[in-house]
Amino acid sequence: MVFSSLIFLFAFLPLVILGNLLWKENNTAKNAFLLFASLLFYAWGEGERVLVMLISIGFNFMIGLRLEPGTARRKAWLVTGIVLNLGVLSYFKYAFFFAENLNLLLDGLGIPTVSMEPEKLPIGISFYTFQALSYLVDVYRGTNKAQKSMLNLGLYITLFPQLIAGPIVRYNDMAEQLIHRVESQGLFAAGLRRFIIGFAKK
C-alpha cells in the first residue's frame, strides 16, 4: 500500500483517523489500534514478511531492558543488539551477493558451489532496523529509559507514516509522544496541509 493509492486515501487513512478519535481518552488502546493499523499497512504489501518486523520488535524489546544503567554486561548486550539488527539487514541485502562471489571463488578452485536463491528485500527494513538501533543506543546512553511496554516500542518501530519512506526518527524524539500526545484541531489541520502538499509533489 502506498500513500497515493485509492485504498489508502479513501479507506485506510479515514478509518485510522476515525479509530484514533474513538480511542482518544485511552492512550493504551489508541497505541494498540495504531500498532495494528501499522502492521496491517505493512502486511498489505509484504505479507508474511511482517514476521521479520515482529521478531525485530521482540528481540529489541528484550535487549533494551538489559541496557539501562546499573544492569550487568550492558555493553555486551548493546553489541548483541547491534549485531542482530545489522545481521538481519545484511542477510536480506547482501547474502545473495556474497554467495555469488563465493561461488565464483569456489568454482575456480573446483569446489562445489553454494546453492542460494536471492531473497526479496523487505520494504522499509533499513528504516525500521535503524530506528530499533536508535532505541538501543538511546537507552544505553541513558538518554531515555528502556520501554517497559512492547506495545509502545512496536508502535515506534512500525508507525506507518514513516515506515516505508522515512525519515528515520530518533527514539529520543518520540519517547514522550508514545505516552502523552498533544492533539488539537490546529495541529490536525497543519498535518493535513503538509500531507496534501506532499501528495501534490508526489
Side-chain angles (χ1 to χ4, degrees), residues 3-4 9 191-202:
F3 299 140
S4 56
L9 292 171
L192 185 60
R193 183 165 56 249
R194 177 173 290 188
F195 177 82
I196 291 171
I197 292 170
F199 180 73
K201 290 180 178 179
K202 182 76 172 177

Side-chain angles (χ1 to χ4, degrees), residues 41-58:
F41 175 88
Y42 189 77
W44 189 275
E46 288 297 282
E48 71 279 359
R49 288 183 182 273
V50 72
L51 293 174
V52 178
M53 180 184 288
L54 291 172
I55 291 169
S56 174
I57 292 169

Side-chain angles (χ1 to χ4, degrees), residues 21-102:
L21 292 173
L22 289 175
W23 298 108
K24 191 170 183 179
E25 303 303 320
N26 188 330
N27 193 68
T28 300
K30 184 190 298 184
N31 284 358
F33 171 74
L34 290 174
L35 175 59
F36 171 77
S38 296
L39 292 172
L40 176 63
F41 175 88
Y42 189 77
W44 189 275
E46 288 297 282
E48 71 279 359
R49 288 183 182 273
V50 72
L51 293 174
V52 178
M53 180 184 288
L54 291 172
I55 291 169
S56 174
I57 292 169
F59 73 68
N60 281 294
F61 174 75
M62 290 186 289
I63 291 173
L65 295 175
R66 291 162 173 79
L67 294 179
E68 289 197 316
T71 308
R73 292 188 280 188
R74 294 173 62 237
K75 186 171 287 188
W77 280 112
L78 177 64
V79 171
T80 300
I82 292 171
V83 169
L84 283 174
N85 279 289
L86 295 182
V88 171
L89 179 61
S90 297
Y91 171 76
F92 284 104
K93 292 193 81 166
Y94 304 115
F96 184 69
F97 169 77
F98 285 123
E100 277 190 315
N101 285 278
L102 177 61

Side-chain angles (χ1 to χ4, degrees), residues 9-191:
L9 292 171
F10 298 107
F12 182 83
L13 184 59
L15 286 173
V16 169
I17 293 172
L18 179 61
N20 190 64
L21 292 173
L22 289 175
W23 298 108
K24 191 170 183 179
E25 303 303 320
N26 188 330
N27 193 68
T28 300
K30 184 190 298 184
N31 284 358
F33 171 74
L34 290 174
L35 175 59
F36 171 77
S38 296
L39 292 172
L40 176 63
F41 175 88
Y42 189 77
W44 189 275
E46 288 297 282
E48 71 279 359
R49 288 183 182 273
V50 72
L51 293 174
V52 178
M53 180 184 288
L54 291 172
I55 291 169
S56 174
I57 292 169
F59 73 68
N60 281 294
F61 174 75
M62 290 186 289
I63 291 173
L65 295 175
R66 291 162 173 79
L67 294 179
E68 289 197 316
T71 308
R73 292 188 280 188
R74 294 173 62 237
K75 186 171 287 188
W77 280 112
L78 177 64
V79 171
T80 300
I82 292 171
V83 169
L84 283 174
N85 279 289
L86 295 182
V88 171
L89 179 61
S90 297
Y91 171 76
F92 284 104
K93 292 193 81 166
Y94 304 115
F96 184 69
F97 169 77
F98 285 123
E100 277 190 315
N101 285 278
L102 177 61
N103 283 339
L104 289 174
L105 176 63
L106 294 176
D107 191 51
L109 296 172
I111 301 173
T113 57
V114 177
S115 177
M116 182 177 185
E117 293 296 320
E119 285 282 354
K120 179 190 171 190
L121 185 66
I123 295 173
I125 189 171
S126 295
F127 291 116
Y128 70 74
T129 297
F130 284 108
Q131 293 218 153
L133 286 172
S134 168
Y135 164 70
L136 297 182
V137 170
D138 280 349
V139 174
Y140 179 78
R141 289 177 173 172
T143 307
N144 293 97
K145 292 184 177 180
Q147 182 57 250
K148 300 300 190 293
S149 166
M150 190 182 294
L151 171 70
N152 290 346
L153 180 63
L155 181 59
Y156 161 68
I157 290 175
T158 66
L159 193 59
F160 74 89
Q162 49 76 48
L163 178 59
I164 61 173
I168 296 169
V169 181
R170 289 285 306 273
Y171 179 72
N172 187 49
D173 298 329
M174 286 282 292
E176 183 61 28
Q177 295 182 57
L178 292 170
I179 304 169
H180 302 106
R181 293 191 286 278
V182 177
E183 299 178 10
S184 69
Q185 290 183 353
L187 290 172
F188 180 82

